Amino acid sequence: RQNNMFDCYKKEWNNIEKVETYPHHLRNIVIIDADEFVDKIYDSTPEEAKKIVESIYAGDAYILKTKFDNKFVKNLKENVFQWSVKNKPCYYEMRNGCPNYHSLNNQKRGPQDGYETIEHSYVFFRWNGDTLKIFEPFEKYWEAIKVLSGNQPESFKKNIPTDGIIDRITFLQYPIGYGHISKHYDSPKKQKLLLGCVLTQIGKDYDYGENGFYLVDKNDKKIYLENLIDAGDFICAYPAMYHGVPKVTKKNFKGHSSWDSTVGRWYMQLYSPESHEVENREYTTAIKDCAGHGPIANHIKEEIND
């Protein structure tokens, strides 16, 4: 396994990436086994690495099929939820000493008439340890994405907020009937692929169709990727691609969708953002959608990655 491949990818990103040419629209969807994708990242020739970078920068999204089964996914959600029951909800900026936390985002956030998210966030950082075994099962995939992004596989693992870039895992629970996040894009500064694991099953936990994570094609049509995946699979796309989640729906839902249960759509994001210790850090950016939310360049002061 060529851990030094990060230099090759870094060179390719330096050659191709400019703010003015960030890809925002979906071109193709590539479905591949997650372990095969990891091997591909490490074992590519320089020419093959260039093709991978060009594919991502042209707007290709990747669905990574994993071997995480329903029992694993269910236990992961339940452990995170039970942890939250013992801790009062509260929001913290990413500064030295920041604890793991969960927060209830049950009203509009961000600029007026801008970016909007309704969900329950559960946020974990490496410096607080991994007693729930949240980081451990996903390390090889995240390390591979770091290499693909032009960083060493162990990058940021020992960082604290004053080091600038940190590792963060965020679980996002979208309650049925009102959970959603409006169209936006994220900073690709240090991570060139969003690495998101869907922890619920479309068609069971919520309806097939216009539900879950979407990207936008060149005709401004929303393409819903979760119709192609199973719970436990990853969705990967360049962070500056326009994306969001519409209001989560389930026909004939007779349960009680509330903040004190595990009901709804669950999504886990593995991401290496700039901390709040970084002056002029880059924030999530809202995009105007058909509902009139989010004019371009509304920068959100409390960053959440869907």
Side-chain angles (χ1 to χ4, degrees), residues 199-229:
L199 301 177
T200 36
Q201 183 60 56
I202 196 167
K204 178 182 177 182
D205 297 299
Y206 44 101
D207 294 331
Y208 281 113
E210 297 182 353
N211 252 329
F213 184 99
Y214 68 78
L215 293 168
V216 179
D217 68 15
K218 63 181 181 180
N219 297 316
D220 206 32
K221 179 182 178 182
K222 295 176 181 177
I223 308 298
Y224 296 87
L225 275 67
E226 285 174 43
N227 292 283
L228 303 174
I229 73 171

Side-chain angles (χ1 to χ4, degrees), residues 12-270:
E12 294 304 328
W13 285 112
N14 286 340
N15 287 339
I16 198 172
E17 193 174 38
K18 297 177 182 176
V19 173
E20 297 82 7
T21 61
Y22 280 171
H24 295 305
H25 298 98
L26 176 66
R27 184 178 72 167
N28 296 315
I29 298 172
V30 180
I31 301 176
I32 185 172
D33 178 82
D35 292 331
E36 181 182 342
F37 190 61
V38 169
D39 291 339
K40 188 179 181 73
I41 289 171
Y42 284 107
D43 299 335
S44 288
T45 64
E47 293 76 18
E48 291 169 337
K50 181 179 181 180
K51 288 182 179 179
I52 294 173
V53 170
E54 288 176 343
S55 165
I56 294 167
Y57 206 68
D60 292 345
Y62 286 75
I63 290 175
L64 310 185
K65 305 294 292 184
T66 74
K67 296 177 178 62
F68 297 126
D69 59 21
N70 290 333
K71 181 179 179 181
F72 171 82
V73 169
K74 181 179 179 181
N75 287 342
L76 182 60
K77 288 187 299 184
E78 187 62 32
N79 289 341
V80 169
F81 179 75
Q82 289 303 325
W83 167 85
S84 74
V85 171
K86 303 172 185 176
N87 294 274
K88 184 178 179 180
C90 185
Y91 169 78
Y92 292 89
E93 288 192 340
M94 294 177 288
R95 299 189 182 277
N96 285 358
C98 173
N100 298 331
Y101 69 91
H102 69 109
S103 61
L104 303 176
N105 304 310
N106 53 8
Q107 56 187 351
K108 288 185 178 182
R109 305 174 67 209
Q112 185 177 3
D113 297 323
Y115 176 91
E116 182 177 317
T117 175
I118 304 293
E119 33 71 18
H120 189 169
S121 300
Y122 310 78
V123 186
F124 298 87
F125 304 99
R126 289 191 187 275
W127 57 79
N128 294 317
D130 192 19
T131 57
L132 297 182
K133 304 300 181 186
I134 290 170
F135 288 82
E136 184 178 1
F138 304 98
E139 290 288 20
K140 70 175 179 180
Y141 305 108
W142 203 352
E143 287 177 359
I145 296 302
K146 288 179 178 180
V147 171
L148 173 60
S149 302
N151 301 303
Q152 297 188 43
E154 299 294 319
S155 294
F156 320 129
K157 287 189 176 183
K158 295 182 179 180
N159 282 12
I160 59 175
T162 46
D163 292 316
I165 306 295
I166 57 172
D167 279 352
R168 178 188 68 194
I169 289 183
T170 304
F171 293 82
L172 296 167
Q173 178 191 7
Y174 298 83
I176 292 172
Y178 47 96
H180 67 277
I181 185 168
S182 61
K183 186 163 61 174
H184 66 283
Y185 67 88
D186 301 306
S187 169
K189 189 167 187 176
K190 282 296 181 180
Q191 188 164 317
K192 307 306 181 184
L193 268 184
L194 295 175
L195 182 62
C197 186
V198 180
L199 301 177
T200 36
Q201 183 60 56
I202 196 167
K204 178 182 177 182
D205 297 299
Y206 44 101
D207 294 331
Y208 281 113
E210 297 182 353
N211 252 329
F213 184 99
Y214 68 78
L215 293 168
V216 179
D217 68 15
K218 63 181 181 180
N219 297 316
D220 206 32
K221 179 182 178 182
K222 295 176 181 177
I223 308 298
Y224 296 87
L225 275 67
E226 285 174 43
N227 292 283
L228 303 174
I229 73 171
D230 298 307
D233 291 343
F234 292 110
I235 293 176
C236 301
Y238 187 76
M241 299 272 280
Y242 297 162
H243 59 281
V245 175
K247 185 179 295 183
V248 178
T249 60
K250 186 176 183 181
K251 292 180 181 177
N252 303 317
F253 177 66
K254 293 182 170 58
H256 179 56
S257 186
S258 68
W259 300 105
D260 57 1
S261 77
T262 59
V263 173
R265 173 190 178 266
W266 281 69
Y267 178 90
M268 181 186 68
Q269 182 66 262
L270 301 98

